[in-house]
Amino acid sequence: MDKLLIQGGHRLSGEIAISGAKNAALPILCAGLLTSDAVALSNVPGLQDVATMLKLLRQMGLRIAQDGENVTLNGDAIDKLEAPYEMVKTMRASILVLGPLLARFGEARVSLPGGCAIGSRPVDQHIKGLQAMGAEIAIEAGYIHAKAKRLKGARILTDMITVTGTENLLMAAVLAEGETVLENAAREPEVTDLANLLVKMGAKIDGIGTDRLVIQGVDSLHGASHDVIPDRIETATFLCAVAAVGGDVTLRHARTDTFDAAIDKLREAGAILTTGDDWIRIQMSSRPKAVSFRTTEYPGFPTDMQAQFMAMNCVAEGSSRVIETIFENRFMHVQEMNRLGAAITIEGHTAIIDGVDKLVGAPVMATDLRASASLVIAGLAAEGETLVDRIYHLDRGYDRMEMKLSAVGAHIQRVK
Ligand code: EPU
């Protein structure tokens, strides 16, 4: 199993190119199921989760041509309306095939995702929304079996804001009969990116970027081309690394209007940030100041950045409070950081971090994707050697992270 070996304490300087967004690419690939025409995508990141999604879609009969970051999908020969347990258990985002399959083919069988390291993560809102659109849904032998001759538009109010739930219902609604209103919709930039592609494919969607999406269903969608938006979480992860260890780094191909909450906190921590159309530069010449925050839905502070900012807070001047409100078990990195000498205590959904003068390298274990990234940041900031185990989590969502960090002066290498 691959591990990352890090020699901490080296300032970072230079340039990094940001890849396409994982959480935009995954639903966008599923949108290829909605038409028999070709959907040509660019800026698709080279990630394990993308490979898993392509494998699942291929199993369904989607024809796929891939050339690096360019992926063309052709849904003219889909013959298997199923996402098996073996795929869904490795990647929960497989649930995103449910809406498009049901909308276009009138049937889908998708394994229910089980529990997850960061929380229980049920999909009841996806099911409730599709039922409101007239789908008959049975849970049989661990599978969601959904049927509908043709989905019918409905007004759907989800109990909470759900990102993939909004995406699934949006992909169902674009081919439903009549009008669907999605109230309490997620406003994440990844939802917006999917909606923009669907409009290019002929969908009629109003309210894109707001919490109320109004969709007029159409009979069919056609092909389109689309450039996946840059990954805001990857961008903010690198910014956080520089804030923790110091340096001067410019991130290229970024979308700087998609992570304001992280930018505000980095400025509060003492970083100097300058931005252009598609780049952001961070300069950090002092020890960071501790910053407190509460995770919440977009445009608030993202849960997917909580662990990385906690790593910065570990070496910051002062104390901070981090409140996680989205997932009930997303503090698994805390015990690992404490093994590096951090001083973090947990009270319910709040972590209290007392900044320490230094962390000292040690072997640590990654438990999920963003926890892995936070341990890399802690390792870069620590004195001596840190070995991060189980980095298959990292490879699911970061495109060649160790190569990008090495290019700006980090001492980090992949070892077997
Ligand atoms: N929830 C329910 N029922 C549902 C759906 C959600 O109770 O039917 C709850 C969840 O358990 C959670 C909250 O609602 O407590 C929000 O979950 P959401 O559905 O928004 O999460 P998701 O769609 O499963 C996506 C990202 C996650 C990211 C969250 C929150 C993708 C593929 N995944 O997950 O990304 O943390 O939104 O922003 O888009 C990651 O990239 O590391 C990652 C975990």
Side-chain angles (χ1 to χ4, degrees):
M1 217 185 291
D2 289 6
K3 302 177 175 46
L4 284 179
L5 182 63
I6 302 167
Q7 278 290 341
H10 297 276
R11 285 168 59 83
L12 305 175
S13 78
E15 288 191 3
I16 295 178
I18 296 304
S19 298
K22 169 178 83 84
N23 290 345
L26 296 175
I28 279 174
L29 289 169
C30 295
L33 294 168
L34 286 165
T35 173
S36 58
D37 290 350
V39 174
L41 304 173
S42 50
N43 205 30
V44 178
L47 304 172
Q48 193 51 48
D49 272 9
V50 166
T52 305
M53 185 61 88
L54 291 175
K55 184 174 168 199
L56 172 65
L57 295 170
R58 237 183 228 117
Q59 281 180 10
M60 293 174 174
L62 196 78
R63 291 191 293 119
I64 297 167
Q66 189 174 16
D67 176 13
E69 292 175 353
N70 299 313
V71 176
T72 302
L73 310 168
N74 200 300
D76 59 357
I78 297 194
D79 55 2
K80 195 156 171 261
L81 309 175
E82 181 175 300
Y85 177 59
E86 293 66 44
M87 302 297 292
V88 181
K89 77 174 181 197
T90 55
M91 190 183 64
R92 306 178 60 84
S94 311
I95 189 77
L96 285 164
V97 302
L98 179 61
L101 284 180
L102 184 61
R104 181 163 160 222
F105 301 100
E107 188 168 0
R109 225 177 142 257
V110 177
S111 172
L112 263 178
C116 171
I118 62 175
S120 61
R121 303 181 76 180
V123 290
D124 55 304
Q125 301 301 308
H126 303 230
I127 294 172
K128 172 178 130 172
L130 293 173
Q131 282 171 330
M133 295 169 83
E136 277 174 37
I137 299 191
I139 307 293
E140 299 162 345
Y143 278 74
I144 304 166
H145 191 178
K147 283 187 188 172
K149 267 211 183 80
R150 182 162 182 202
L151 291 171
K152 292 197 170 47
R155 179 171 172 267
I156 300 167
L157 171 66
T158 45
D159 296 357
M160 78 290 294
I161 298 173
T162 154
V163 175
T164 50
T166 302
E167 291 162 348
N168 234 341
L169 297 176
L170 177 61
M171 287 191 277
V174 290
L175 287 181
E177 189 185 331
E179 181 177 280
T180 299
V181 181
L182 297 180
E183 304 277 10
N184 208 20
R187 288 184 284 163
E188 268 65 5
E190 294 76 18
V191 178
T192 297
D193 204 33
L194 169 67
N196 287 338
L197 165 65
L198 293 171
V199 168
K200 289 181 196 169
M201 293 169 71
K204 296 197 172 127
I205 308 169
D206 279 333
I208 294 175
T210 75
D211 61 0
R212 187 169 192 269
L213 295 171
V214 182
I215 303 117
Q216 306 294 337
V218 295
D219 290 339
S220 65
L221 294 178
H222 51 73
S225 330
H226 188 74
D227 198 43
V228 175
I229 47 160
D231 198 315
R232 66 191 164 104
I233 305 297
E234 186 198 20
T235 314
T237 299
F238 288 128
L239 292 174
C240 212
V242 180
V245 306
D248 182 352
V249 172
T250 300
L251 303 171
R252 304 254 170 226
H253 310 305
R255 263 287 295 269
T256 53
D257 57 339
T258 54
F259 48 90
D260 287 350
I263 290 178
D264 284 356
K265 287 291 155 191
L266 288 163
R267 288 203 168 116
E268 198 181 315
I272 297 171
L273 292 155
T274 34
T275 57
D277 271 357
D278 66 346
W279 57 266
I280 180 160
R281 177 180 180 194
I282 178 165
Q283 293 163 282
M284 189 73 175
S285 53
S286 57
R287 183 177 174 193
K289 292 186 196 69
V291 292
S292 296
F293 58 89
R294 182 176 182 273
T295 64
T296 180
E297 295 86 1
Y298 190 83
F301 192 95
T303 174
D304 289 346
M305 281 306 300
Q306 178 253 106
Q308 301 90 314
F309 269 75
M310 201 185 294
M312 180 191 80
N313 277 339
C314 286
V315 291
E317 199 182 315
S319 297
S320 52
R321 291 169 76 81
V322 169
I323 306 172
E324 171 61 52
T325 74
I326 306 291
F327 292 113
E328 64 272 21
N329 195 30
R330 215 174 193 181
F331 280 148
M332 305 262 278
H333 41 281
V334 165
Q335 296 311 327
E336 299 301 302
M337 288 177 182
N338 282 348
R339 296 190 60 255
L340 298 174
I344 311 171
T345 49
I346 296 176
E347 283 174 17
H349 294 298
T350 304
I352 299 136
I353 305 117
D354 291 318
V356 293
D357 289 341
K358 63 169 187 181
L359 296 177
V360 178
V364 287
M365 194 126 79
T367 47
D368 70 78
L369 170 58
R370 308 304 170 185
S372 320
S374 74
L375 294 175
V376 169
I377 295 175
L380 293 172
E383 247 177 32
E385 203 170 273
T386 296
L387 188 66
V388 186
D389 200 354
R390 303 210 175 155
I391 57 154
Y392 54 84
H393 292 295
L394 194 76
D395 294 332
R396 289 186 57 174
Y398 287 92
D399 190 0
R400 298 160 294 148
M401 184 190 242
E402 77 279 13
M403 289 164 78
K404 293 187 183 188
L405 283 170
S406 297
V408 293
H411 291 204
I412 178 168
Q413 69 182 110
R414 188 176 284 258
V415 293
K416 295 281 170 197

